[in-house]
Amino acid sequence: MKLSFHGAARNVTGSCHLLEAGGLRILIDCGMFQGAHHADEENLGDFGFKPSDIDILLLTHAHLDHCGRIPLLVKRGFTGKIITTAATRDLAKLIMMDSAHIQEEDAARASRRRRRAGGEQIRPLYGQIDVLSALDYFGPNIGYEEDIALNEAVKIRFINAGHILGSAAIVVEATENGATRRIVFSGDLGSPGHALLSNSTPPPECDYVVMETTYGDRMHKDLESSVSELVEAIQRTIARGRNVVIPTFAMERTQEILYHLKKAVENGDLPSSLTVFLDSPMAVSATEIFRRHAESFSPDLRDDILSGKHPFDLPGLRFTRQSADSIAINRITGGAVIMAGSGMCTGGRVRHHLKHNIWRSNSSVVFVGFAAQGTLARQIVDGAKHIRIYGEDIQVKADIYTINGFSAHADQRELLYWVSHAGSPKTIFLVHGDYEKGMSNMKEELEKKGLSVKCPTLHAEANLD
Ligand code: ZN
């Protein structure tokens, strides 16, 4: 039995692990490398295995750094089966289509530039047609806690990871030469108390664990105070007759915020007349996918949804897909909450809304997610007095809020609690973390407990015998 690591190795992105066991080659995730300067090369490079040799791909969840190279895998010869939950399949389709669209546009732009200089055309990593081909390989959807036999020697079970809708950790039990090994892949783990999802299911006792370490060095702020901070920022701004702009990512955080706003309206903390614009075609599509997957919500919300009461049904919620409707929002100077992408303000409709609101005193911009260095979001968070949007110099007069308590990832304490259920595995492999920070920190914490821990490098192999 062999395990090898082809992404998220001493790094956060590109999750891709290969388990060779019980006569099968099983890939766990096939994510895109993102962010780093050499990410393009990494995505274009060799997988570290032959795609046509892979029998089955198990997908933990629909984030791009877990599903983003699937169309490329298919383009390069994979013809196996892709197994995941129903919600993950639908969300992954949206995420992969969006990624293909961005790559096609980027390649077309770069090609025009190249051709003017006499160079050759640039091809995208994959296009929308490749995503459609990849979707043909998705097999029947599976639910949490179902035991599935892949063959007579290998059994799998998806368990709730509480990270995003449909997310799972995966338990694999494989028998080879008379010995059975149980291996658990954490995928990405959520933080307990998530607004929409049940807490992650602890893993069973096992022989090996492959665990994420995104926040292996951090403790989260408490969620309740973050929700209060959000509601107070809106109350204050609306009372002063201005708008609140919330830059958000299309999937998950948007829906979480909608849920908290609905609760605040129900509790009377916000007026039922509050108008909330969801001004992002992708976020609107993601929200519609959420509406179709009652089975993936926490039991309370699932029952609500099945009885026709939906957690996002704010009385004043307006979806705007068309750009004409988006432009019409610019005429509203007060009383509205405007949610739009991108979350880091690097592109998308939120830049228009910042342009029309950030220069007005008494309006607000509320950041509810991570803002990377070098992005417009980061400049604003860091207190810039002037910003540039579409070549225009704009003064920052709005109140700026940075609310850090919303997180899709478990923190150090929560990761340690989760993995404590695995008993005393022979080895815990740490992945999906910054090596210098979350990963090293988690290694230290686990070694203090006498556990054997490894942080594999890219394409490293480990024997599981
Ligand atoms: Zn994730």
Side-chain angles (χ1 to χ4, degrees):
M1 250 177 246
K2 206 168 81 179
L3 186 58
S4 49
F5 302 86
H6 305 284
R10 301 195 174 198
N11 204 325
V12 191
T13 64
S15 279
C16 187
H17 317 301
L18 172 58
L19 175 66
E20 295 168 66
L24 293 175
R25 290 196 178 85
I26 305 164
L27 207 59
I28 293 88
D29 291 342
C30 193
M32 185 92 93
F33 291 100
Q34 292 174 278
H37 294 301
H38 48 275
D40 285 349
E41 281 164 46
E42 285 178 317
N43 287 320
L44 275 169
D46 237 29
F47 279 106
F49 52 83
K50 241 171 108 184
S52 57
D53 286 348
I54 303 299
D55 300 296
I56 287 167
L57 165 62
L58 307 177
L59 178 59
T60 61
H61 67 288
H63 274 148
L64 192 66
D65 62 326
H66 292 258
C67 71
R69 280 190 294 163
I70 293 177
L72 188 66
L73 188 77
V74 172
K75 203 174 157 182
R76 291 186 182 170
F78 170 85
T79 54
K81 202 189 283 171
I82 303 174
I83 300 179
T84 193
T85 63
T88 296
R89 183 197 188 280
D90 286 356
L91 288 171
K93 176 182 172 188
L94 179 70
I95 294 293
M96 293 188 295
M97 285 301 262
D98 181 62
S99 164
H101 174 67
I102 290 169
Q103 291 176 59
E104 284 172 335
E105 284 202 325
D106 286 353
R109 200 176 309 118
S111 291
R112 283 196 293 275
R113 214 176 299 135
R114 274 267 190 110
R115 278 207 298 274
R116 283 195 291 268
E120 280 183 10
Q121 197 181 344
I122 292 187
R123 302 213 171 275
L125 194 59
Y126 56 80
Q128 301 195 45
I129 199 82
D130 298 309
V131 176
L132 293 177
S133 306
L135 289 168
D136 286 342
Y137 293 95
F138 279 76
N141 303 316
I142 64 164
Y144 296 136
E145 308 292 340
E146 282 176 29
D147 284 316
I148 313 272
L150 299 182
N151 65 9
E152 57 291 343
V154 184
K155 222 168 56 179
I156 58 161
R157 188 171 358 123
F158 279 44
I159 57 175
N160 174 33
H163 170 58
I164 64 168
L165 201 78
S167 66
I170 301 173
V171 184
V172 183
E173 235 174 71
T175 306
E176 223 175 71
N177 306 326
T180 300
R181 298 276 177 267
R182 190 184 278 160
I183 307 125
V184 176
F185 296 85
S186 74
D188 286 359
L189 295 168
S191 205
H194 191 289
L196 310 175
L197 311 172
S198 299
N199 292 348
S200 61
T201 304
E205 287 197 7
C206 58
D207 302 293
Y208 297 94
V209 180
V210 178
M211 185 172 81
E212 68 120 328
T213 52
T214 319
Y215 287 146
D217 60 339
R218 245 175 282 179
M219 302 294 184
H220 292 323
K221 273 201 194 164
D222 138 66
L223 178 66
E224 222 168 287
S225 61
S226 294
V227 174
S228 310
E229 213 181 319
L230 170 70
V231 171
E232 282 161 24
I234 296 172
Q235 283 168 341
R236 210 171 301 138
T237 313
I238 301 301
R240 296 184 309 208
R242 288 294 180 213
N243 294 330
V244 179
V245 177
I246 308 179
T248 53
F249 296 99
M251 189 166 85
E252 201 69 23
R253 190 60 42 83
T254 292
Q255 291 77 22
E256 237 181 292
I257 300 293
L258 287 178
Y259 170 80
H260 291 303
L261 296 185
K262 181 179 186 245
K263 278 268 166 231
V265 168
E266 280 173 359
N267 297 340
D269 294 332
L270 290 173
S272 57
S273 59
L274 180 73
T275 305
V276 178
F277 290 102
L278 185 53
D279 186 27
S280 153
M282 175 124 167
V284 172
S285 296
T287 306
E288 275 161 10
I289 293 172
F290 273 60
R291 297 175 78 99
R292 289 204 297 272
H293 288 287
E295 80 284 356
S296 293
F297 284 79
S298 65
D300 284 356
L301 292 183
R302 179 170 54 222
D303 293 347
D304 282 356
I305 296 169
L306 293 176
S307 66
K309 224 176 101 197
H310 207 279
F312 310 138
D313 286 343
L314 268 157
L317 180 60
R318 308 273 176 273
F319 287 159
T320 50
R321 276 192 193 273
Q322 307 223 46
S323 53
D325 296 334
S326 173
I327 291 165
I329 301 172
N330 296 337
R331 290 197 289 275
I332 300 168
T333 56
V337 173
I338 306 163
M339 297 171 68
S342 73
M344 296 199 212
C345 312
T346 46
R349 293 179 176 178
V350 76
R351 291 168 78 94
H352 292 281
H353 299 304
L354 289 174
K355 181 176 150 183
H356 288 275
N357 290 281
I358 205 167
W359 62 274
R360 296 180 199 271
S361 46
N362 293 330
S363 59
S364 300
V365 180
V366 182
F367 291 96
V368 290
F370 177 68
Q373 287 292 347
T375 60
L376 178 59
R378 189 53 181 256
Q379 279 177 38
I380 300 169
V381 166
D382 285 347
K385 293 283 168 245
H386 287 261
I387 53 172
R388 282 194 84 75
I389 298 180
Y390 301 117
E392 213 176 295
D393 180 63
I394 294 164
Q395 58 174 343
V396 178
K397 284 283 178 115
D399 291 343
I400 308 298
Y401 296 85
T402 311
I403 304 181
N404 289 324
F406 300 102
S407 178
H409 282 277
D411 67 13
Q412 187 192 67
R413 195 184 39 222
E414 294 154 4
L415 287 171
L416 287 170
Y417 173 76
W418 185 87
V419 78
S420 70
H421 294 82
S424 304
K426 293 181 181 43
T427 310
I428 299 175
F429 298 98
L430 300 183
V431 296
H432 199 290
D434 200 326
Y435 181 62
E436 310 292 334
K437 296 178 187 165
M439 198 177 281
S440 298
N441 225 290
M442 185 52 61
K443 183 171 189 284
E444 224 169 89
E445 291 297 323
L446 292 168
E447 281 172 347
K448 272 191 225 162
K449 298 178 190 297
L451 293 159
S452 157
V453 184
K454 284 191 179 138
C455 304
T457 51
L458 191 64
H459 305 309
E461 292 181 357
N463 273 318
L464 306 188
D465 298 323

